[in-house]
Amino acid sequence: MAVHRKRFRVEDIAGGEMPILDVAEEAGPMHTEIMAELRAIRAQMARGTVPMSGSAAMAAIDASTNQELSDARTMLETYRAQIEQCEKLKVELDLIHDAIDRTKREIATLHGKSFDGGEMAKVNGELGAVVGGTEQATQQILEAAESIDQAASAMSKVQSADQQKRLADDIQERVISIFEACNFQDLTGQRISKVMGTMKFIEQHINAMMEIWGGVDAIKAHVPAQVDTRSDDDKLLNGPKLAGDVGHASQDDIDALFD
């Protein structure tokens, strides 16, 4: 009995009834693309730059943005502090400029009214006139005193009333001459007052300049140490003592040496 064998579909395909599909040709492009992606991933892993997911990328962007904002704030605070320092420096420079400008005005005033040729020549002339007038008056007084002394000596030796009268008239004339010579004090006082006015004017403006730069105490800090370069004889010539001067011996101190 013949066995009826089932015919499989593969046999039908092999017999030519159905075309055999070329699996290699269909899978070729897909395989090539997959391998290319794998090679790219392997290269990125070797460089340490594995692609991040969407959430990881956003987190990285946020972190970078926050860091940039922090750096910008830090830089802004630095610039703000530098601007404040510049403003303070500008204020100080303005004060210095104002002080220099005011000092220039004071110097210009002194130069225009005190230190120009005419004013200083006038001061020198006044002081010269004081010295000359004092010398002339002193000479006149000494001559008159000498004449009076001679007339008094001669009067004690003469017996004639007429001669005594002439000598007395001469003495009286010399006394009047002394009174006239003493008028130099008034002229000297007027001349010295003019000089003192000029000196006070200069002093006022110098004090004003000192106040501009911080006052006397600030100026004293820049005063160099005084060195006495005078000779031994010059050190003894300190001039007449003024009222209130210290370091001078009084008459009472000298008298106490003899007690």
Side-chain angles (χ1 to χ4, degrees), residues 144-205:
E146 185 178 359
S147 299
I148 290 172
D149 182 66
Q150 292 175 358
S153 299
M155 184 180 293
S156 62
K157 296 178 182 180
V158 299
Q159 300 296 328
S160 172
D162 187 40
Q163 290 180 347
Q164 290 179 355
K165 185 179 183 303
R166 286 198 300 270
L167 291 173
D169 292 340
D170 186 55
I171 291 174
Q172 187 176 10
E173 183 179 352
R174 296 300 179 182
V175 171
I176 293 173
S177 176
I178 291 175
F179 290 152
E180 292 176 350
C182 287
N183 289 332
F184 83 95
Q185 183 178 3
D186 182 51
L187 296 177
T188 299
Q190 294 178 19
R191 296 183 187 280
I192 292 178
S193 295
K194 293 180 181 179
V195 175
M196 289 180 63
T198 302
M199 294 297 105
K200 287 181 178 179
F201 178 81
I202 295 173
E203 181 183 8
Q204 290 174 357
H205 286 276

Side-chain angles (χ1 to χ4, degrees), residues 4-225:
H4 180 73
R5 186 173 62 87
K6 183 180 179 179
R7 187 177 180 85
F8 293 95
R9 187 170 59 85
V10 176
E11 293 177 347
D12 296 336
I13 294 172
E17 295 179 0
M18 292 181 66
I20 300 175
L21 297 176
D22 190 355
V23 179
E25 290 180 0
E26 292 292 335
M30 181 66 69
H31 175 75
T32 302
E33 184 178 353
I34 292 172
M35 294 304 295
E37 291 293 335
L38 289 174
R39 283 194 295 270
I41 292 173
R42 184 180 299 168
Q44 291 176 354
M45 292 178 65
R47 294 194 300 268
T49 57
V50 180
M52 295 181 293
S53 62
S55 59
M58 291 299 297
I61 293 173
D62 292 340
S64 177
T65 303
N66 292 333
Q67 183 64 35
E68 291 179 358
L69 288 175
S70 178
D71 295 340
R73 290 193 187 96
T74 303
M75 186 177 297
L76 183 61
E77 292 296 330
T78 303
Y79 288 160
R80 184 178 290 110
Q82 292 177 353
I83 291 173
E84 290 178 356
Q85 293 296 326
C86 291
E87 290 177 352
K88 293 179 180 179
L89 180 61
K90 182 180 183 300
V91 171
E92 296 295 332
L93 291 176
D94 290 339
L95 292 175
I96 294 174
H97 180 272
D98 181 65
I100 292 174
D101 188 60
R102 291 164 58 192
T103 304
K104 286 181 179 180
R105 290 198 298 268
E106 295 293 338
I107 293 174
T109 302
L110 286 175
H111 183 270
K113 296 185 178 180
S114 299
F115 292 111
D116 60 343
E119 188 67 23
M120 292 309 296
K122 185 178 179 180
V123 170
N124 292 332
E126 295 289 350
L127 293 175
V130 168
V131 174
T134 303
E135 182 180 0
Q136 182 180 356
T138 303
Q139 185 68 26
Q140 185 177 347
I141 291 172
L142 290 175
E143 291 177 356
E146 185 178 359
S147 299
I148 290 172
D149 182 66
Q150 292 175 358
S153 299
M155 184 180 293
S156 62
K157 296 178 182 180
V158 299
Q159 300 296 328
S160 172
D162 187 40
Q163 290 180 347
Q164 290 179 355
K165 185 179 183 303
R166 286 198 300 270
L167 291 173
D169 292 340
D170 186 55
I171 291 174
Q172 187 176 10
E173 183 179 352
R174 296 300 179 182
V175 171
I176 293 173
S177 176
I178 291 175
F179 290 152
E180 292 176 350
C182 287
N183 289 332
F184 83 95
Q185 183 178 3
D186 182 51
L187 296 177
T188 299
Q190 294 178 19
R191 296 183 187 280
I192 292 178
S193 295
K194 293 180 181 179
V195 175
M196 289 180 63
T198 302
M199 294 297 105
K200 287 181 178 179
F201 178 81
I202 295 173
E203 181 183 8
Q204 290 174 357
H205 286 276
I206 291 178
N207 288 336
M209 284 188 284
M210 294 172 66
E211 290 297 330
I212 290 172
W213 294 103
V216 178
D217 294 335
I219 300 299
K220 286 182 179 179
H222 301 279
V223 176

